[in-house]
Amino acid sequence: PWATELKGSPYDGAIASMDAALAGFFASSAMKEWREWYVVICADHGESLGDHGESRHGILIYEPVMRVPLLIHGPRQRSPGRIHEWVSLVDVLPAIRDFDGMPPATCDGVSLRPLFEGGAIPSRPIFMGSQGGMMSFGWAPLFGAIVDGMKYIQAPLPECYAISDSSA
């Protein structure tokens, strides 16, 4: 139905389709006990939709592509909340292990549990990169990091921005 209902906006149609699929998934009989499970929903990239002259994704590393949804539900979760810290998908495994009382994971991520409990996590760089422009057009690869409210993009013309949670 989304192909006709949202014909002029394929991206909105894809989001509506995913929302409907998730609603059906959580309503299914297989998910009766889902409140006792860890459920993690995330994306590997966003979409530029024309921002910065990029019509899709995979070439540039600005926020529309790098900022992705990350939803975590756990069996002992008290209530929903929103975290305003910069986190990374590499933090998912350490968070789940910590929530479940398992030994810490040996990886680059940190547990997000303190954020869920009103605390803080150590300040550390959040890394990003893209080789899409290099592979498709022979451009330079892009790498970047967010550290202490600053975002640096290593490119032929390096860029550095002061950022805040609202511009995330």
Side-chain angles (χ1 to χ4, degrees):
W2 314 115
T4 53
E5 188 174 320
L6 297 167
K7 187 176 184 178
S9 181
Y11 182 77
D12 289 342
I15 297 298
S17 175
M18 181 60 67
D19 286 347
L22 286 172
F25 174 70
F26 285 113
S28 72
S29 60
M31 290 299 294
K32 283 183 183 177
E33 303 298 324
W34 76 273
R35 294 186 193 290
E36 300 303 317
W37 299 359
Y38 286 97
V39 178
V40 178
I41 300 171
C42 61
D44 63 339
H45 60 77
E47 294 291 336
S48 285
L49 303 175
D51 286 356
H52 301 280
E54 186 178 15
S55 61
R56 300 181 74 193
H57 68 269
I59 298 174
L60 305 176
I61 57 174
Y62 295 113
E63 274 66 27
V65 173
M66 295 291 113
R67 185 177 180 169
V68 298
L70 172 59
L71 292 84
I72 301 175
H73 175 275
R76 291 170 288 286
Q77 186 172 341
R78 292 183 200 100
S79 61
R82 183 173 181 165
I83 293 173
H84 296 280
E85 294 276 336
W86 287 96
V87 300
S88 175
L89 295 179
V90 299
D91 301 328
V92 172
L93 175 64
I96 298 299
R97 291 181 64 92
D98 190 10
F99 282 127
D100 213 34
M102 298 171 72
T106 305
C107 65
D108 290 336
V110 301
S111 174
L112 302 176
R113 184 175 185 164
L115 297 176
F116 284 87
E117 297 173 348
I121 57 174
S123 177
R124 75 265 164 49
I126 302 293
F127 296 104
M128 63 201 76
S130 173
Q131 295 184 5
M134 179 183 70
M135 293 168 56
S136 296
F137 306 110
W139 298 351
L142 299 175
F143 301 99
I146 296 171
V147 182
D148 297 329
M150 299 295 291
K151 179 177 182 179
Y152 173 75
I153 299 175
Q154 179 182 330
L157 294 174
E159 301 174 43
C160 190
Y161 304 97
I163 55 175
S164 67
D165 289 335
S166 61
S167 69

